[in-house]
Amino acid sequence: MTVTEKTFPIPTQLFINGEFIESSSPERFSIYNPADGSLVTDKIQYAVAEDVDQAVRSAQAAFRSKAWAGITSQERGRILKRIAKAIEENKEELAWLDRITMGKPVTNGVGEAQFTADIFEYYAGWADKHAGDTFPADDGFLKIVQHEPLGVCAGILPWNGPMATIAFKAGPALATGNVMILKPSEKSPFSALRLASLLTDILPPGVLQVLNGAGATGELLARHPHIRKISFTGSGLTGKKIQRAAAESNLKRVTLELGGKTPAGIFDDCNLENAVQWATKAITSNSGQICIAASRVYVQESIAEEFTAAFVKSIQASATDIGDPNSSETRFGPLADKAQFSRVQSFFTEDAGKTQILTGGKQHGETGYFFEPTVLYNPDPQAAVYKNEIFGPVACVRTFKDEEDFLQMANDSEYGLNAAVFTKDINRAMRVSSRLESGTVGVNCVTMLHYQVPFGGSKQSGFGRELGAYGLKSYTEPKSIYVNLNS
């Protein structure tokens, strides 16, 4: 059943100081629908240096204005609640705007919109509760620590979760009194633009702005001398460029949430059915286009045959849910665009003969950029498909003998974003969890993320944390104040 045939206006301009404006550049760019390859628009505008400067000036004015800096933290909380409500009331439109750019199925898109609203509501509750500290004046000095906003912040968004990552960055930034400039991915800019325009009656002009653009626009933000913080979600290669630009400009604060290659350890005492369900969900959600996808599945030798057979059967069943993203029956959409489809395909060209394909490994259908969910068995440890992030529905299954064997393979990676262990032995679960080199570990679950707890990685998966109370800290500067009580 097709949920809706309704279409909405497509925003193509920049959103600066509370309104849509034309880019200073005459160039225009195109976006195509990955479900059928059709042109969505050829009128997308990108921000150039003049536009970035204009947005920063507007942001600086908003940051210092009475309309924003002069309100109480309780009032900021009310504003964030209104933002959450606006997202909820317009979630079908926001989901549609992402659906036509990256093929996210309607149920997934509406779910992401609701998740985005939930994050804003969560940070609304924090706005008047992010307290400082005081220390005893037993030496004659009262010591006070207060948390102050940084000022103009920038958030560079990924294409795979274009709505949720708005809240990851803007939620804690606004809750702590900062102002935010967002640069959505050039592949999926519409929901960020539309959301900003929905908030013109809620936020003062300049508090939340959106600049379309590709890498050149992101570099302008990273190098701008008046931006105090940049939060980036995306590839490791781009993350390094962001960090370098931030250091070479004004040493702006940086949060990087980069790639992942999640290892999931399936031990022989696990609930097998539960492990299969989670492993399937973890590689098929968003068509595998998530940084915490469990793309390395390690199975203890004694249950390898049983688990692998059940896993392949489950993956094959998930392929029956591939289809029209507009249908409520669809759970599995296309890859984001031709470039991403070609990238996933390239792994199978490069690694031909280095791995056994148990199911999938090829295009689904003849129209659009659909790729079959895939299971590979005992790939060559040096194969690109095993070592590198694929960002597609491809899981590599390898066997292990014992805990030490699993830990050695799981930690033998430059990624450290997410990991999992499946076992009924709580002692083993805690022992293994503590030794997995990862920012997040799931026990009898995998690919978990919740706004109450911090999210981020170790090693080349980035640094800094988003979500939870930790997300607030990255948007504030602690200031220590000494009061001489003997003066």
Side-chain angles (χ1 to χ4, degrees), residues 171-257:
L174 299 186
T176 49
N178 297 279
V179 294
M180 174 65 75
I181 299 172
L182 297 172
K183 191 206 81 66
S185 167
E186 66 274 22
K187 296 183 181 183
S188 53
F190 300 146
S191 57
L193 287 165
R194 178 56 178 144
L195 176 57
S197 70
L198 287 169
L199 306 182
T200 53
D201 293 333
I202 300 174
L203 289 171
V207 172
L208 183 68
Q209 303 177 91
V210 180
L211 302 179
N212 310 328
T217 305
E219 183 166 4
L220 288 169
L221 292 169
R223 289 191 178 278
H224 202 285
H226 299 306
I227 292 176
R228 301 302 174 190
K229 160 70 189 278
I230 191 158
S231 176
F232 170 75
T233 300
S235 72
L237 180 62
T238 304
K240 291 177 182 179
K241 293 179 180 177
I242 295 286
Q243 186 176 8
R244 187 179 305 115
E248 291 173 350
S249 56
N250 63 339
L251 285 175
K252 58 176 61 65
R253 307 294 186 270
V254 178
T255 295
L256 299 177
E257 193 275 283

Coordinates of all heavy atoms in Angstrom, one line a residue, residues 171-257:
G171 N 20.4 20.3 19.1 CA 19.7 20.2 20.4 C 20.5 20.7 21.6 O 20.1 21.6 22.3
P172 N 21.7 20.1 21.8 CA 22.6 20.6 22.9 C 23.1 22.0 22.7 O 23.3 22.7 23.7 CB 23.7 19.5 23.0 CG 23.7 18.9 21.6 CD 22.3 18.9 21.1
A173 N 23.4 22.3 21.4 CA 23.9 23.7 21.2 C 22.9 24.8 21.6 O 23.3 25.7 22.3 CB 24.3 23.8 19.7
L174 N 21.7 24.6 21.2 CA 20.7 25.6 21.5 C 20.3 25.6 23.0 O 20.0 26.6 23.6 CB 19.4 25.4 20.6 CG 19.6 25.5 19.1 CD1 18.2 25.4 18.4 CD2 20.3 26.8 18.7
A175 N 20.3 24.4 23.6 CA 19.9 24.2 25.0 C 20.9 25.0 25.9 O 20.5 25.5 26.9 CB 19.9 22.8 25.4
T176 N 22.1 25.1 25.4 CA 23.1 25.8 26.2 C 23.4 27.2 25.8 O 24.3 27.9 26.2 CB 24.5 25.0 26.2 OG1 24.8 24.7 24.8 CG2 24.4 23.7 27.0
G177 N 22.5 27.7 24.9 CA 22.6 29.1 24.5 C 23.4 29.5 23.3 O 23.7 30.7 23.1
N178 N 23.9 28.5 22.6 CA 24.7 28.8 21.4 C 23.8 29.1 20.2 O 22.6 29.0 20.3 CB 25.6 27.6 21.0 CG 26.6 27.3 22.1 OD1 27.7 28.0 22.2 ND2 26.3 26.4 23.0
V179 N 24.4 29.5 19.1 CA 23.7 29.6 17.8 C 24.3 28.6 16.8 O 25.5 28.2 17.0 CB 23.7 31.0 17.2 CG1 22.9 31.9 18.2 CG2 25.1 31.5 17.1
M180 N 23.6 28.1 15.8 CA 24.0 27.0 15.0 C 23.9 27.3 13.5 O 22.8 27.7 13.1 CB 23.3 25.7 15.4 CG 23.5 24.5 14.6 SD 25.2 23.9 14.6 CE 25.2 23.1 16.3
I181 N 24.9 27.0 12.8 CA 24.9 26.9 11.3 C 25.0 25.5 10.9 O 26.0 24.8 11.2 CB 26.0 27.8 10.7 CG1 25.9 29.2 11.1 CG2 25.9 27.7 9.1 CD1 27.1 30.1 10.7
L182 N 24.0 25.0 10.1 CA 24.0 23.6 9.7 C 24.4 23.5 8.2 O 24.0 24.4 7.4 CB 22.7 23.0 9.8 CG 22.1 22.8 11.3 CD1 20.7 22.3 11.2 CD2 23.0 21.8 12.1
K183 N 25.3 22.6 7.9 CA 25.5 22.3 6.5 C 25.1 20.8 6.2 O 25.8 19.9 6.6 CB 27.0 22.4 6.1 CG 27.2 22.4 4.5 CD 28.6 21.9 4.1 CE 28.7 20.4 4.1 NZ 27.9 19.7 3.1
P184 N 23.9 20.6 5.6 CA 23.5 19.3 5.3 C 24.3 18.7 4.2 O 25.0 19.5 3.4 CB 22.0 19.4 5.0 CG 21.9 20.8 4.5 CD 22.9 21.6 5.2
S185 N 24.3 17.4 4.0 CA 25.0 16.8 2.9 C 24.4 17.3 1.6 O 23.1 17.5 1.5 CB 24.9 15.3 3.0 OG 25.3 14.7 1.7
E186 N 25.2 17.4 0.6 CA 24.7 17.8 -0.7 C 23.7 16.7 -1.3 O 22.9 17.0 -2.2 CB 25.8 18.0 -1.7 CG 26.7 16.8 -2.1 CD 27.8 16.6 -1.1 OE1 27.7 17.0 0.1 OE2 28.8 15.9 -1.5
K187 N 23.8 15.5 -0.7 CA 22.9 14.4 -1.2 C 21.5 14.5 -0.6 O 20.5 14.0 -1.2 CB 23.5 13.1 -0.9 CG 24.8 12.7 -1.5 CD 25.3 11.3 -1.2 CE 26.6 11.0 -1.9 NZ 27.0 9.6 -1.6
S188 N 21.4 15.1 0.6 CA 20.1 15.1 1.3 C 19.9 16.4 2.1 O 19.8 16.3 3.3 CB 20.0 13.9 2.2 OG 21.1 13.8 3.1
P189 N 19.7 17.5 1.4 CA 19.7 18.8 2.1 C 18.3 19.3 2.5 O 18.1 20.2 3.3 CB 20.3 19.8 1.1 CG 19.8 19.2 -0.2 CD 19.8 17.7 -0.1
F190 N 17.2 18.6 2.0 CA 15.9 19.2 2.0 C 15.3 19.3 3.4 O 14.7 20.3 3.8 CB 14.9 18.5 1.1 CG 15.3 18.5 -0.3 CD1 15.1 17.4 -1.2 CD2 16.0 19.6 -0.9 CE1 15.4 17.4 -2.5 CE2 16.4 19.6 -2.2 CZ 16.1 18.5 -3.0
S191 N 15.4 18.3 4.2 CA 14.8 18.3 5.5 C 15.4 19.3 6.4 O 14.6 20.0 7.2 CB 14.9 16.9 6.2 OG 16.2 16.4 6.3
A192 N 16.7 19.6 6.4 CA 17.3 20.6 7.2 C 16.8 22.0 6.8 O 16.5 22.8 7.6 CB 18.8 20.6 7.1
L193 N 16.7 22.2 5.5 CA 16.2 23.5 5.0 C 14.7 23.7 5.4 O 14.4 24.8 5.9 CB 16.3 23.6 3.5 CG 17.7 23.7 2.9 CD1 17.7 23.4 1.4 CD2 18.3 25.1 3.1
R194 N 13.9 22.7 5.2 CA 12.5 22.8 5.6 C 12.3 23.0 7.1 O 11.5 23.8 7.5 CB 11.7 21.6 5.1 CG 10.2 21.6 5.4 CD 9.6 22.9 4.9 NE 8.1 22.9 5.2 CZ 7.5 24.0 5.5 NH1 8.1 25.2 5.6 NH2 6.2 23.9 5.8
L195 N 13.1 22.3 7.9 CA 12.9 22.4 9.3 C 13.3 23.8 9.8 O 12.6 24.4 10.6 CB 13.8 21.4 10.0 CG 13.9 21.5 11.6 CD1 12.5 21.4 12.2 CD2 14.8 20.5 12.2
A196 N 14.4 24.4 9.2 CA 14.7 25.8 9.6 C 13.6 26.7 9.3 O 13.3 27.6 10.1 CB 16.0 26.1 8.9
S197 N 13.0 26.6 8.1 CA 11.9 27.5 7.7 C 10.7 27.3 8.6 O 9.9 28.2 8.8 CB 11.6 27.3 6.3 OG 10.9 26.0 6.0
L198 N 10.5 26.1 9.1 CA 9.3 25.9 10.0 C 9.5 26.6 11.4 O 8.5 26.7 12.1 CB 9.2 24.4 10.3 CG 8.6 23.5 9.1 CD1 8.8 22.0 9.5 CD2 7.2 23.8 8.9
L199 N 10.7 27.0 11.7 CA 11.0 27.5 13.0 C 11.1 29.0 13.1 O 11.5 29.6 14.1 CB 12.3 26.9 13.6 CG 12.4 25.4 13.6 CD1 13.7 24.9 14.2 CD2 11.2 24.8 14.3
T200 N 10.7 29.7 12.0 CA 10.8 31.1 11.9 C 10.0 31.9 13.0 O 10.3 33.0 13.4 CB 10.5 31.7 10.5 OG1 9.2 31.2 10.2 CG2 11.5 31.2 9.5
D201 N 8.9 31.2 13.4 CA 8.1 31.8 14.5 C 8.5 31.4 15.8 O 7.9 31.8 16.8 CB 6.6 31.5 14.2 CG 6.0 32.1 13.0 OD1 6.5 33.2 12.6 OD2 5.1 31.6 12.4
I202 N 9.5 30.5 15.9 CA 9.9 30.0 17.2 C 11.3 30.6 17.6 O 11.5 30.9 18.8 CB 10.0 28.5 17.1 CG1 8.6 27.9 16.8 CG2 10.5 27.9 18.4 CD1 8.6 26.4 16.6
L203 N 12.2 30.6 16.6 CA 13.6 31.0 16.9 C 13.8 32.4 16.4 O 13.4 32.8 15.3 CB 14.6 30.1 16.3 CG 14.7 28.7 16.9 CD1 15.6 27.8 16.0 CD2 15.3 28.8 18.3
P204 N 14.6 33.3 17.1 CA 15.0 34.6 16.5 C 15.8 34.4 15.2 O 16.6 33.4 15.1 CB 15.8 35.2 17.6 CG 15.4 34.5 18.9 CD 15.1 33.1 18.4
P205 N 15.8 35.3 14.3 CA 16.6 35.2 13.1 C 18.1 35.0 13.4 O 18.6 35.7 14.3 CB 16.4 36.5 12.3 CG 15.0 36.9 12.8 CD 15.0 36.5 14.3
G206 N 18.7 34.1 12.7 CA 20.2 33.9 12.9 C 20.5 32.8 13.9 O 21.7 32.4 13.9
V207 N 19.6 32.4 14.7 CA 19.9 31.3 15.7 C 20.2 30.0 15.0 O 21.1 29.2 15.4 CB 18.8 31.2 16.8 CG1 19.0 30.1 17.7 CG2 18.7 32.5 17.6
L208 N 19.4 29.6 14.0 CA 19.6 28.4 13.3 C 19.5 28.7 11.8 O 18.5 29.1 11.3 CB 18.5 27.4 13.7 CG 18.6 26.0 13.0 CD1 19.8 25.2 13.6 CD2 17.4 25.1 13.2
Q209 N 20.6 28.4 11.1 CA 20.7 28.7 9.7 C 21.2 27.5 8.9 O 21.9 26.6 9.5 CB 21.7 29.9 9.4 CG 21.3 31.2 10.2 CD 22.3 32.3 10.0 OE1 22.1 33.1 9.1 NE2 23.3 32.3 10.9
V210 N 20.9 27.4 7.7 CA 21.3 26.2 6.9 C 22.0 26.7 5.6 O 21.4 27.5 4.8 CB 20.0 25.4 6.5 CG1 20.4 24.2 5.7 CG2 19.3 24.9 7.8
L211 N 23.1 26.1 5.3 CA 23.9 26.4 4.1 C 24.1 25.1 3.4 O 24.8 24.2 3.8 CB 25.3 27.0 4.5 CG 25.3 28.3 5.3 CD1 26.7 28.8 5.6 CD2 24.5 29.4 4.6
N212 N 23.5 25.1 2.2 CA 23.8 23.9 1.3 C 25.2 23.9 0.8 O 25.8 25.0 0.7 CB 22.8 23.9 0.1 CG 21.4 24.1 0.5 OD1 20.9 23.7 1.5 ND2 20.6 24.8 -0.4
G213 N 25.7 22.8 0.4 CA 27.0 22.8 -0.2 C 27.7 21.4 -0.1 O 27.2 20.6 0.7
A214 N 28.7 21.3 -0.8 CA 29.5 20.0 -0.8 C 30.8 20.3 0.1 O 30.7 21.1 1.0 CB 29.9 19.6 -2.2
G215 N 31.9 19.6 -0.2 CA 33.0 19.7 0.7 C 33.6 21.1 0.8 O 34.1 21.5 1.8
A216 N 33.5 21.9 -0.3 CA 34.1 23.2 -0.3 C 33.4 24.1 0.7 O 34.1 24.9 1.4 CB 34.0 23.9 -1.7
T217 N 32.1 24.0 0.9 CA 31.3 24.7 1.8 C 31.7 24.3 3.3 O 31.9 25.1 4.2 CB 29.8 24.6 1.6 OG1 29.5 24.9 0.3 CG2 29.0 25.5 2.6
G218 N 31.9 23.0 3.5 CA 32.3 22.5 4.8 C 33.6 23.0 5.2 O 33.8 23.4 6.4
E219 N 34.5 23.1 4.2 CA 35.9 23.6 4.6 C 35.8 25.1 4.9 O 36.5 25.6 5.8 CB 36.8 23.4 3.4 CG 38.3 23.9 3.7 CD 39.3 23.4 2.7 OE1 38.9 22.8 1.7 OE2 40.5 23.7 3.0
L220 N 35.0 25.9 4.3 CA 34.8 27.3 4.6 C 34.3 27.4 6.1 O 34.8 28.3 6.8 CB 33.8 28.0 3.7 CG 34.3 28.2 2.2 CD1 33.1 28.6 1.4 CD2 35.3 29.3 2.2
L221 N 33.4 26.6 6.5 CA 33.0 26.6 7.9 C 34.1 26.2 8.8 O 34.3 26.8 9.9 CB 31.8 25.7 8.0 CG 30.5 26.1 7.3 CD1 29.5 25.0 7.3 CD2 29.9 27.4 8.0
A222 N 34.8 25.1 8.5 CA 35.9 24.6 9.3 C 37.0 25.7 9.5 O 37.7 25.7 10.5 CB 36.4 23.3 8.8
R223 N 37.2 26.5 8.5 CA 38.3 27.5 8.5 C 37.9 28.9 9.0 O 38.7 29.7 9.1 CB 39.0 27.6 7.1 CG 39.8 26.3 6.8 CD 40.6 26.5 5.5 NE 41.4 25.3 5.2 CZ 42.5 25.0 5.8 NH1 43.1 25.9 6.7 NH2 43.2 23.9 5.5
H224 N 36.6 29.0 9.2 CA 36.1 30.4 9.5 C 36.6 30.8 10.9 O 36.5 30.1 11.8 CB 34.6 30.5 9.4 CG 34.1 31.9 9.2 ND1 34.1 32.8 10.2 CD2 33.6 32.5 8.1 CE1 33.7 34.0 9.7 NE2 33.4 33.8 8.4
P225 N 37.2 32.0 10.9 CA 37.8 32.5 12.2 C 36.8 32.8 13.3 O 37.2 33.0 14.4 CB 38.6 33.7 11.8 CG 37.9 34.2 10.6 CD 37.4 33.0 9.8
H226 N 35.5 33.0 13.0 CA 34.6 33.4 14.0 C 33.6 32.3 14.3 O 32.7 32.5 15.1 CB 33.8 34.6 13.5 CG 34.7 35.8 13.2 ND1 35.5 36.3 14.2 CD2 34.9 36.6 12.1 CE1 36.2 37.3 13.7 NE2 35.8 37.5 12.4
I227 N 33.8 31.1 13.8 CA 33.1 29.9 14.3 C 33.9 29.2 15.4 O 35.1 29.0 15.2 CB 32.8 28.9 13.1 CG1 31.8 29.6 12.1 CG2 32.3 27.6 13.6 CD1 31.5 28.8 10.9
R228 N 33.3 29.0 16.5 CA 34.0 28.5 17.7 C 33.9 27.0 17.9 O 34.7 26.5 18.7 CB 33.4 29.2 19.0 CG 33.5 30.7 18.9 CD 34.9 31.2 18.8 NE 35.0 32.7 18.6 CZ 36.1 33.3 18.2 NH1 37.2 32.6 18.0 NH2 36.1 34.6 18.1
K229 N 33.0 26.4 17.2 CA 32.9 24.9 17.4 C 32.4 24.3 16.1 O 31.5 24.9 15.5 CB 31.9 24.6 18.6 CG 31.3 23.2 18.6 CD 32.4 22.1 19.0 CE 31.8 20.7 18.8 NZ 31.0 20.3 20.0
I230 N 32.9 23.2 15.8 CA 32.4 22.4 14.6 C 32.2 21.0 15.0 O 33.0 20.4 15.6 CB 33.2 22.6 13.4 CG1 32.5 22.1 12.1 CG2 34.6 21.9 13.5 CD1 33.1 22.7 10.8
S231 N 31.0 20.5 14.7 CA 30.7 19.1 14.9 C 30.4 18.4 13.6 O 29.6 18.8 12.8 CB 29.4 18.9 15.8 OG 29.1 17.6 16.0
F232 N 31.2 17.4 13.3 CA 31.1 16.7 12.0 C 30.8 15.2 12.1 O 31.4 14.5 13.0 CB 32.5 16.8 11.3 CG 32.6 16.0 10.0 CD1 32.0 16.4 8.8 CD2 33.3 14.8 10.0 CE1 32.1 15.6 7.7 CE2 33.4 14.0 8.9 CZ 32.8 14.4 7.7
T233 N 29.9 14.8 11.3 CA 29.6 13.4 11.2 C 29.8 12.9 9.8 O 29.2 13.5 8.8 CB 28.1 13.1 11.6 OG1 27.9 13.5 12.9 CG2 27.8 11.6 11.5
G234 N 30.7 12.0 9.5 CA 30.9 11.5 8.2 C 32.2 10.6 8.1 O 32.5 9.9 9.1
S235 N 32.9 10.7 7.0 CA 34.0 9.8 6.8 C 35.2 10.2 7.5 O 35.4 11.4 7.8 CB 34.3 9.7 5.3 OG 34.9 10.9 4.8
G236 N 36.1 9.3 7.7 CA 37.4 9.5 8.4 C 38.3 10.5 7.6 O 38.9 11.4 8.2
L237 N 38.3 10.3 6.3 CA 39.1 11.2 5.4 C 38.7 12.6 5.5 O 39.5 13.5 5.7 CB 39.0 10.7 4.0 CG 39.8 11.5 3.0 CD1 41.3 11.4 3.3 CD2 39.6 11.0 1.5
T238 N 37.4 12.9 5.5 CA 36.9 14.2 5.6 C 37.1 14.7 7.0 O 37.4 15.9 7.2 CB 35.4 14.3 5.2 OG1 35.3 13.8 3.9 CG2 34.9 15.7 5.3
G239 N 36.9 13.9 8.0 CA 37.1 14.3 9.4 C 38.5 14.8 9.6 O 38.7 15.8 10.4
K240 N 39.5 14.2 9.0 CA 40.9 14.6 9.2 C 41.1 16.0 8.6 O 41.8 16.9 9.1 CB 41.9 13.6 8.5 CG 41.9 12.3 9.2 CD 42.8 11.3 8.5 CE 42.9 10.0 9.2 NZ 43.7 9.0 8.5
K241 N 40.4 16.3 7.4 CA 40.5 17.6 6.8 C 39.8 18.6 7.7 O 40.3 19.8 7.8 CB 39.8 17.5 5.4 CG 40.5 16.7 4.4 CD 39.7 16.7 3.1 CE 40.4 15.8 2.0 NZ 39.6 15.7 0.8
I242 N 38.7 18.3 8.3 CA 38.0 19.2 9.2 C 38.9 19.6 10.4 O 39.0 20.7 10.8 CB 36.7 18.6 9.7 CG1 35.7 18.3 8.6 CG2 36.1 19.4 10.8 CD1 35.0 19.5 8.1
Q243 N 39.5 18.6 11.0 CA 40.4 18.8 12.1 C 41.6 19.7 11.8 O 42.0 20.6 12.5 CB 40.9 17.5 12.7 CG 41.6 17.6 14.0 CD 42.0 16.3 14.6 OE1 41.9 15.2 14.0 NE2 42.6 16.3 15.8
R244 N 42.2 19.4 10.6 CA 43.3 20.2 10.2 C 42.9 21.7 9.9 O 43.6 22.6 10.3 CB 43.9 19.6 8.9 CG 45.2 20.2 8.4 CD 45.7 19.6 7.1 NE 45.8 18.1 7.3 CZ 45.1 17.2 6.6 NH1 44.2 17.6 5.8 NH2 45.3 15.9 6.8
A245 N 41.8 21.8 9.3 CA 41.3 23.2 9.0 C 41.0 24.0 10.3 O 41.3 25.1 10.4 CB 40.1 23.1 8.1
A246 N 40.4 23.3 11.2 CA 40.0 23.9 12.5 C 41.3 24.3 13.2 O 41.3 25.4 13.8 CB 39.2 22.9 13.4
A247 N 42.3 23.5 13.2 CA 43.6 23.8 13.9 C 44.3 24.9 13.2 O 44.9 25.8 13.9 CB 44.5 22.6 13.9
E248 N 44.3 25.0 11.9 CA 45.0 26.0 11.1 C 44.3 27.3 11.1 O 44.9 28.4 10.8 CB 45.2 25.5 9.7 CG 46.2 24.3 9.6 CD 46.3 23.8 8.2 OE1 45.4 24.1 7.3 OE2 47.2 22.9 7.9
S249 N 43.0 27.4 11.5 CA 42.3 28.6 11.5 C 42.4 29.3 12.9 O 43.2 30.1 13.2 CB 40.9 28.4 11.0 OG 40.2 27.4 11.8
N250 N 41.5 28.9 13.8 CA 41.4 29.5 15.1 C 41.3 28.5 16.3 O 40.8 28.9 17.3 CB 40.2 30.4 15.1 CG 38.9 29.7 15.0 OD1 38.8 28.6 14.5 ND2 37.8 30.3 15.4
L251 N 41.8 27.3 16.0 CA 41.7 26.3 17.1 C 40.3 26.1 17.6 O 40.1 25.9 18.8 CB 42.7 26.6 18.2 CG 44.2 26.4 17.9 CD1 45.0 26.8 19.1 CD2 44.5 24.9 17.7
K252 N 39.3 26.1 16.7 CA 37.9 25.9 17.1 C 37.8 24.5 17.7 O 38.5 23.5 17.3 CB 37.0 26.1 16.0 CG 37.2 25.3 14.8 CD 36.1 25.5 13.7 CE 36.1 26.9 13.2 NZ 37.2 27.4 12.4
R253 N 36.8 24.3 18.6 CA 36.5 23.0 19.2 C 36.0 22.1 18.1 O 35.3 22.6 17.2 CB 35.5 23.1 20.3 CG 35.8 24.1 21.4 CD 37.1 23.7 22.2 NE 37.3 24.6 23.3 CZ 38.0 25.7 23.3 NH1 38.6 26.1 22.2 NH2 38.2 26.5 24.4
V254 N 36.3 20.8 18.2 CA 35.9 19.9 17.2 C 35.4 18.6 17.8 O 35.9 18.1 18.8 CB 37.1 19.5 16.2 CG1 36.7 18.5 15.2 CG2 37.7 20.7 15.5
T255 N 34.2 18.2 17.3 CA 33.7 16.8 17.6 C 33.6 16.1 16.3 O 33.0 16.6 15.3 CB 32.3 16.9 18.3 OG1 32.4 17.6 19.5 CG2 31.7 15.5 18.5
L256 N 34.2 14.9 16.3 CA 34.2 14.1 15.1 C 33.5 12.7 15.4 O 34.0 12.0 16.2 CB 35.6 13.8 14.6 CG 36.4 15.0 14.2 CD1 37.9 14.6 13.8 CD2 35.8 15.8 13.1
E257 N 32.5 12.4 14.6 CA 31.8 11.1 14.7 C 32.0 10.5 13.3 O 31.4 10.9 12.3 CB 30.4 11.2 15.1 CG 29.7 9.8 15.5 CD 29.2 9.1 14.3 OE1 28.2 9.4 13.8 OE2 29.9 8.1 13.8

